[in-house]
Amino acid sequence: MPFSHRKDLGLLALRLGTGGVLIAHGAQKLFGWFGGGGLEGTTKAMEHMGFAPARPSAIAAGLGEAGGGALLVLGLATPAAGAAAAGAMAGAVSVHAPAGFFAQGGGFEYPAFLGFVAAGLGLAGPGEFSLDHFTRHRLDRPAVLLLAFAVSAAAATVVVTRRNAAVAAAAADEGTDDGA
């Protein structure tokens, strides 16, 4: 293999590793695999964390992770895959942010890292060892990239803003109940 394929191999390694982790996390949420709660458990967790409506939020998170991860592994529709995974991770970051940065204290380090790597892959492209390359980048064009990241950013902003408002309202209700 020529020395010139190092970048493509690096992108492949990043896609396989990051995509594999995302697939596993999404499978936990959707199917209960790998010790996850499945759709019912994830729905309850989403409700507890302030995401509404909880079931569609659980499905969206699971599909963003598992679907985005699978597409990253394949190197297919890479901008959309990276954007979907990054958007899903933005929701996870919002949950972990109050605990600070580091994962050992429950912080947002891990979901932020997954989101940044997925976004980076979506922006950089999949490399030569990918289905996007095989299909002559039909789903890896600048317009797809712009649309995918714009939609993902808008959706993540709406979801996180709604969740933060729900969490703040619940905290205010608790404060009112405690003072009565």
Side-chain angles (χ1 to χ4, degrees), residues 40-175:
E40 293 310 314
T42 304
T43 297
K44 289 176 186 170
M46 289 293 197
E47 186 173 12
H48 178 74
M49 291 182 282
F51 290 98
R55 187 172 180 86
S57 295
I59 293 168
L63 288 176
E65 292 176 10
L71 290 172
L72 283 174
V73 165
L74 296 170
L76 181 63
T78 305
M89 291 298 100
V93 167
S94 76
V95 171
H96 292 277
F101 177 73
F102 291 104
Q104 69 192 30
F108 65 91
E109 173 185 19
Y110 186 63
F113 182 75
L114 286 174
F116 278 121
V117 173
L121 287 166
L123 292 168
E128 188 173 325
F129 306 118
S130 66
L131 289 179
D132 275 337
H133 180 76
F134 180 75
T135 62
R136 297 186 178 161
H137 298 276
R138 292 191 198 288
L139 299 173
D140 180 28
R141 300 191 187 249
V144 173
L145 185 141
L146 290 173
L147 181 64
F149 276 92
V151 168
S152 179
T157 299
V158 168
V159 168
V160 169
T161 300
R162 288 179 62 196
R163 181 210 171 254
N164 289 346
V167 169
D173 286 346
E174 282 182 22

Side-chain angles (χ1 to χ4, degrees), residues 6-71:
R6 284 179 56 197
K7 180 181 124 184
D8 295 314
L9 284 172
L11 289 169
L12 176 63
L14 284 171
R15 287 190 359 253
L16 293 175
T18 304
V21 169
L22 287 165
I23 290 168
H25 279 271
Q28 286 181 310
K29 288 174 177 63
L30 295 172
F31 310 118
W33 297 352
F34 313 114
L39 194 51
E40 293 310 314
T42 304
T43 297
K44 289 176 186 170
M46 289 293 197
E47 186 173 12
H48 178 74
M49 291 182 282
F51 290 98
R55 187 172 180 86
S57 295
I59 293 168
L63 288 176
E65 292 176 10
L71 290 172

